[in-house]
Amino acid sequence: MAGGKAAVKTGGKIGKKKSSRSARAGVLFPVSRIMRRFRSVNTKQLRFSLGTPVYTAAVLEYLCAEILELAGNAAREMKVKRIQPRQILLAVYNDEELRELLKHVTIPQGGVLPRIHTELLPASRGKPVASNPATAATGNKATAAASPKPAAASPAPKAVTAKPAPLAKADSGPITTLSERVIGETGQKLTVLAGNIASVRADCVIHPSSSGYSMSGQVGSVLAAKGGNQLQTEINKLRSRKPQLPELGAAVCKAFGIKASNMMHVNGPSYSNANSCQQMTKLVHNILNLAESERYSSIALPCIGSGNAGWPKQAAAHTILGAIHAHLRATPNLHLRTVTFVLYDKATVEIYRQELAKLPL
């Protein structure tokens, strides 16, 4: 009998290992400690089930993992090896759901969000050049008396009244980064800049054109003025190889006179089309696929479609940003690392900043 009992005891209780409630629940956070916290509160009117600390531990673990993942992406983009409160703040406030959950939480030593009010943008420096014709049309005597001075000092008055004059003048001003988002685990960046697209360094700049590679638009006029005869010769070579640019098509040539190395001409859809949103999405995919085939790591885009195509800026920004975000998330291992939106007027800058903030990471 003694030997039998000893055998049962040796084979049963002694050989069995104890496991914590966290291990049985499959979570890392301490379930028992959370339950003790619940019981330490004055809960005369409350009762907690055995599953309450388990669910609480799972939720806390998920939130910590999500915040650490986003903060790690931000730290990698900032080229630091240690996650600091600054990266945690950027991770929380760049995610819409986390920002709403923790909107009343203050992160010590986290700093503030990088934001410049639209009234303080350096792009306003180019506006006086464009405002002279408008004030002359209203018949204001004070501005009419002051307007002949720039005309007398300039050897070519017609160039002052040209349509792309504000953008050309903005070339000397600084390029200001207004908003930036890091997308996915691979860390591609979507950036909104205020300035002149001719002054932005990128592997390729996007030029909204037509089927005949027209450079008469606002963006095209600035790029043509910078590129001169060399750019026109390159466009003629492209036209000889590909006489017509099909709708939703894209073609690349070398760039001259600007900071970008190449120029991609795109023929976008008109907003009056029945399926304009689907066509704009397809155009964005064609742009990104061509950029990937050319192994570009960065591209710069203006506000596509807001000119002769008749797109409202809000609709264009929502469609283009959504298509780019979906493409980057669905296509891993891309050479493309940075997509930059280069905008000029305050209204467009604010629209793109708002739409960019709505995108999930």
Side-chain angles (χ1 to χ4, degrees):
M1 292 295 293
K5 290 183 180 180
V8 173
K9 186 175 182 181
T10 303
K13 295 183 180 180
I14 296 179
K16 188 176 180 180
K17 296 182 179 180
K18 294 183 178 180
S19 60
S20 64
R21 296 182 63 181
S22 299
R24 293 196 299 270
V27 296
L28 298 178
F29 274 49
V31 175
S32 299
R33 184 178 299 178
I34 293 176
M35 190 60 182
R36 286 199 301 270
R37 290 290 183 182
F38 281 139
R39 289 174 177 173
S40 64
V41 182
N42 188 6
T43 57
K44 294 181 179 180
Q45 304 297 329
L46 299 177
R47 297 179 63 185
F48 299 104
S49 65
L50 295 177
T52 301
V54 177
Y55 283 110
T56 305
V59 171
L60 292 176
E61 183 176 329
Y62 169 76
L63 288 177
C64 289
E66 188 74 14
I67 293 175
L68 286 176
E69 179 184 1
L70 299 178
N73 294 337
R76 184 172 62 250
E77 290 299 323
M78 298 175 69
K79 298 181 180 179
V80 296
K81 296 183 179 180
R82 180 178 297 177
I83 296 178
Q84 300 173 350
R86 177 63 176 170
Q87 284 82 45
I88 296 177
L89 180 134
L90 294 176
V92 169
Y93 281 90
N94 281 329
D95 186 87
E96 185 177 359
E97 296 177 352
L98 291 176
R99 183 173 64 249
E100 181 65 23
L101 177 65
L102 304 175
K103 61 183 178 181
H104 299 300
V105 175
T106 300
I107 300 178
Q109 301 180 3
V112 296
L113 291 178
R115 182 180 183 276
I116 301 176
H117 200 279
T118 55
E119 297 296 333
L120 302 177
L121 296 181
S124 60
R125 298 175 184 177
K127 287 193 172 181
V129 180
S131 62
N132 288 337
T135 53
T138 57
N140 192 335
K141 295 181 180 180
T143 55
S147 58
K149 294 181 180 179
S154 175
K158 293 184 179 179
V160 178
T161 59
K163 187 176 181 180
L167 282 176
K169 187 174 182 180
D171 183 39
S172 59
I175 298 295
T176 305
T177 302
L178 297 178
S179 184
E180 186 174 283
R181 298 294 298 274
V182 179
I183 304 299
E185 297 179 355
T186 55
Q188 288 99 344
K189 290 193 298 184
L190 299 181
T191 307
V192 174
L193 301 183
N196 186 1
I197 195 169
S199 303
V200 177
R201 295 186 181 275
D203 290 339
C204 183
V205 63
I206 308 302
H207 167 230
S209 184
S210 62
S211 59
Y213 304 94
S214 173
M215 301 288 290
S216 60
Q218 188 175 14
V219 176
S221 300
V222 175
L223 297 177
K226 293 289 184 180
N229 295 331
Q230 288 181 309
L231 178 60
Q232 188 60 46
T233 301
E234 193 68 24
I235 294 176
N236 292 337
K237 293 179 182 179
L238 177 62
R239 189 181 289 113
S240 63
R241 298 192 304 267
K242 194 173 183 180
Q244 292 291 329
L245 186 62
E247 188 176 12
L248 311 183
V252 176
C253 70
K254 292 183 179 179
F256 297 91
I258 61 177
K259 298 294 182 64
S261 305
N262 302 279
M263 183 181 301
M264 184 185 299
H265 306 270
V266 298
N267 187 8
S270 174
Y271 187 67
S272 59
N273 295 348
N275 54 345
S276 58
C277 292
Q278 291 81 356
Q279 290 180 343
M280 181 64 80
T281 301
K282 185 176 180 180
L283 174 65
V284 171
H285 288 303
N286 293 339
I287 292 173
L288 297 178
N289 289 332
L290 181 56
E292 182 65 19
S293 65
E294 297 289 339
R295 303 179 72 87
Y296 295 148
S297 62
S298 60
I299 60 175
L301 297 87
C303 184
I304 300 177
S306 61
N308 296 331
W311 277 76
K313 295 177 180 179
Q314 187 77 37
H318 178 78
T319 305
I320 294 172
L321 281 169
I324 292 177
H325 178 265
H327 186 91
L328 295 181
R329 294 294 295 268
T331 311
N333 302 324
L334 289 174
H335 291 90
L336 185 64
R337 308 302 302 170
T338 305
V339 179
T340 304
F341 294 90
V342 187
L343 311 170
Y344 178 66
D345 62 287
K346 298 177 182 178
T348 309
V349 167
E350 190 63 27
I351 288 172
Y352 271 80
R353 286 183 66 255
Q354 293 175 0
E355 292 295 329
L356 184 61
K358 296 178 184 179
L359 294 179
L361 294 177

